[in-house]
């Protein structure tokens, strides 16, 4: 499979794309201000105290900033600059913070829209300046593409191994490897990991469902009833949270329409691997990747939404893959609105269903953990490849050293974002050394 980015790294957006980003940032900041939804899954549980008046807006803003800043500057910005494709860490995490920060309801969309303007007008300038430097660290960061795409393929294997043991993990690993090799041989233009990931995720779900069915059969044989949820003290809280979200259904439908339209414009990718696939013009493969990720996040988003009364800015993220495949933005808006409406209305049912399928719920946690493990290794390895491309051994020393220093200091920059951030800092340092006549850039 080719690793050349079809779209280059241009961040020069059309007027329609600029207006869409600005309007969506304004909307998401407003929704964050209302504590109806945030993108950061780690922030959502803290919103219940804010909604119920047990904590202040400033305290909640501080939590949001602390959990999001590293991803914005260490992952969101570097990924956008290296792929030419926007991502949720750059677009939605800042509007989480700005919306919560705004003391007045009318100010939130203004701040959000201003951030959208910074993204669509400022990134291209920064991109052009970086490409004109003697050490072009932005082009070097495209080296991250191959390890991210191929190592990401293994996340179902890791999830199966963690949940169902070495035997099933080995079977899944051999099967995925065979499918990757076959895809590269038979369909060379297709993303090599697409079929392998599909089979891996289906295998994980099948194993989890089979285990749950076996357990329910054993419970029935032992005379155990299924009245757990009805007697659950959290049930009343879940019901109140679902009712709160349903009150704002029209607003959520507008949000779903906006996110789906942004994905349809092919200037946005929902994840690390997806961003590179969108940049290569492989939209159907990007849709597959983000669709598989959905299975890892539905239980988390549903349970945190029901427990806190705040939803996810991207919902269950189904609007990402749907948007990539839509033929035009008008249809994307309609479908996105319908999908979000269905998600919000189905929250209570999904919560009850997950209560009856503990192995499936556990599978989502293993999927998220596996996604994190594969991407951490891929991003680190890709960042070191970028360091080598822009500075050889000295580049590896600087970038690897900054990464290790971050670890030794207790990770002031979150681990996932530390390596890309180190590439940018290292690239700036290598340019300074060049201007001091202490370093000669690597040609090509």
């Amino acid at each position: 499979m080719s690793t050349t980015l079809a779209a280059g790294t241009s961040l020069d957006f059309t007027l329609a794309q600029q207006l869409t980003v600005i309007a969506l940032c304004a909307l998401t900041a407003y929704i964050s201000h209302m504590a109806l939804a945030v993108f950061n899954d780690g922030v959502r549980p803290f919103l219940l105290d804010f909604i119920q008046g047990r904590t202040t807006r400033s305290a909640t803003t501080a939590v949001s900033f602390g959990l999001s800043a590293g991803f914005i500057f260490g992952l969101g910005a570097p990924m956008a600059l290296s792929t030419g494709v926007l991502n949720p860490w750059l677009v939605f995490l800042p509007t989480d913070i700005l919306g919560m920060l705004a003391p007045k309801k009318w100010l939130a969309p203004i701040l959000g829209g201003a951030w959208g303007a910074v993204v669509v007008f400022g990134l291209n300038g920064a991109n052009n300046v970086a490409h004109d430097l003697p050490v072009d660290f932005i082009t070097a960061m495209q080296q991250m593409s191959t390890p991210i795409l191929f190592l990401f393929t293994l996340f179902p294997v890791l999830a199966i191994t963690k949940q169902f043991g070495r035997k099933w993990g080995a079977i899944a690993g051999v099967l995925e490897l065979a499918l990757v090799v076959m895809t590269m041989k038979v369909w060379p233009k297709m993303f090599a990991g697409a079929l392998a990931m599909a089979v891996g995720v289906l295998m994980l779900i099948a194993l989890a469902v089979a285990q749950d069915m076996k357990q329910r059969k054993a419970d029935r044989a032992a005379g155990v009833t299924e009245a757990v949820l009805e007697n659950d003290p959290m049930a009343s809280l879940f019901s109140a949270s679902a009712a709160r979200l349903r009150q704002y259904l029209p607003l959520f439908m507008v949000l779903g329409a906006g996110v789906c339209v942004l994905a349809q414009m092919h200037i946005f990718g929902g994840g690390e691997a997806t961003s590179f696939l969108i940049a290569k013009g492989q939209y159907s493969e990007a849709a597959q990747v983000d669709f598989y990720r959905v299975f890892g996040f539905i239980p988390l988003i549903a349970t945190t939404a029901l427990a806190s009364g705040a939803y996810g800015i991207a919902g269950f993220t189904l609007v990402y893959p749907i948007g990539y495949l839509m033929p035009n933005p008008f249809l994307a808006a309609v479908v996105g609105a319908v999908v979000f409406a269905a998600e919000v209305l189905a929250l209570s049912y999904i919560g009850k269903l997950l209560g009856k399928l503990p192995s499936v719920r556990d599978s989502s946690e293993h999927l998220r953990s596996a996604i994190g493990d594969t991407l951490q290794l891929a991003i680190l390895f890709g960042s070191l490849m970028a360091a080598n491309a822009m500075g050889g051994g000295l580049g590896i020393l600087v970038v690897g050293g900054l990464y290790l220093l971050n670890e030794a200091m207790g990770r002031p920059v979150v681990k996932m974002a530390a390596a890309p951030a180190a590439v940018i800092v290292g690239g700036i340092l290598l340019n300074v050394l060049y201007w001091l006549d202490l370093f000669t850039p690597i040609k090509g």
Side-chain angles (χ1 to χ4, degrees), residues 28-302:
T28 53
Y30 176 77
I31 290 174
S32 171
H33 175 87
M34 299 280 287
L36 288 173
V38 289
F39 180 77
N40 194 321
D41 294 321
V43 173
R44 200 171 302 117
F46 292 93
L47 291 183
L48 180 62
D49 285 341
F50 175 73
I51 292 168
Q52 297 183 348
R54 292 194 296 267
T55 189
T56 63
R57 181 173 294 279
S58 59
T60 310
T61 302
V63 170
S64 182
F65 181 83
L67 293 175
S68 302
F71 287 102
I72 296 168
F73 301 108
L75 188 60
M79 287 296 296
L81 290 170
S82 61
T83 62
V85 175
L86 301 179
N87 57 70
W89 307 286
L90 184 65
V91 177
F92 298 141
L93 287 182
T95 59
D96 280 1
I97 300 169
L98 293 171
M100 190 56 62
L101 175 68
K104 300 293 183 180
K105 189 182 297 185
W106 59 266
L107 184 58
I110 294 176
L111 293 177
W115 174 254
V118 169
V119 169
V120 295
F121 296 117
L123 273 182
N124 196 43
N127 187 56
N128 292 336
V129 169
H131 281 306
D132 290 337
L133 291 173
V135 180
D136 185 358
F137 54 88
I138 297 301
T139 297
M141 288 184 71
Q142 294 179 17
Q143 296 289 327
M144 297 169 65
S145 170
T146 300
I148 286 177
L149 289 174
F150 279 88
L151 287 176
F152 185 74
T153 302
L154 291 173
F155 78 86
V157 176
L158 269 63
I160 290 170
T161 305
K162 288 180 179 181
Q163 187 169 8
F164 297 104
R166 298 176 184 176
K167 184 184 78 171
W168 282 112
I171 293 171
V174 171
L175 183 58
E176 281 212 6
L177 178 60
L179 289 170
V180 168
V181 172
M182 183 186 75
T183 302
M184 294 176 73
K185 185 70 175 177
V186 180
W187 302 291
K189 293 185 178 181
M190 179 190 296
F191 169 45
L195 183 59
M197 278 191 289
V199 172
V201 171
L202 288 173
M203 185 176 174
L204 175 65
I205 294 172
L207 289 169
V209 171
Q211 183 166 295
D212 280 334
M213 293 300 101
K214 182 179 179 181
Q215 184 61 49
R216 291 184 68 181
K217 184 178 180 180
D219 289 344
R220 283 196 297 268
V224 178
T225 63
E226 295 182 359
V228 178
L229 261 178
E230 286 76 0
N231 298 323
D232 189 346
M234 292 294 287
S236 60
L237 174 62
F238 281 14
S239 178
S241 296
R244 177 179 188 260
L245 295 176
R246 286 196 297 270
Q247 288 178 356
Y248 294 92
L249 187 62
L251 188 59
F252 281 116
M253 292 176 71
V254 175
L255 175 62
V259 176
C260 200
V261 168
L262 183 65
Q264 190 279 332
M265 289 179 165
H266 300 148
I267 60 168
F268 175 91
E272 299 88 347
T274 316
S275 293
F276 282 108
L277 289 169
I278 292 291
K280 296 171 191 292
Q282 296 178 309
Y283 307 131
S284 60
E285 287 88 345
Q288 291 179 60
V289 169
D290 271 355
F291 179 73
Y292 304 145
R293 288 172 66 112
V294 168
F295 295 103
F297 287 88
I298 284 180
L300 172 68
I301 294 168

Side-chain angles (χ1 to χ4, degrees), residues 70-76 78 379 413-422:
F71 287 102
I72 296 168
F73 301 108
L75 188 60
I379 290 172
V413 179
V414 292
K415 190 171 184 178
M416 186 82 78

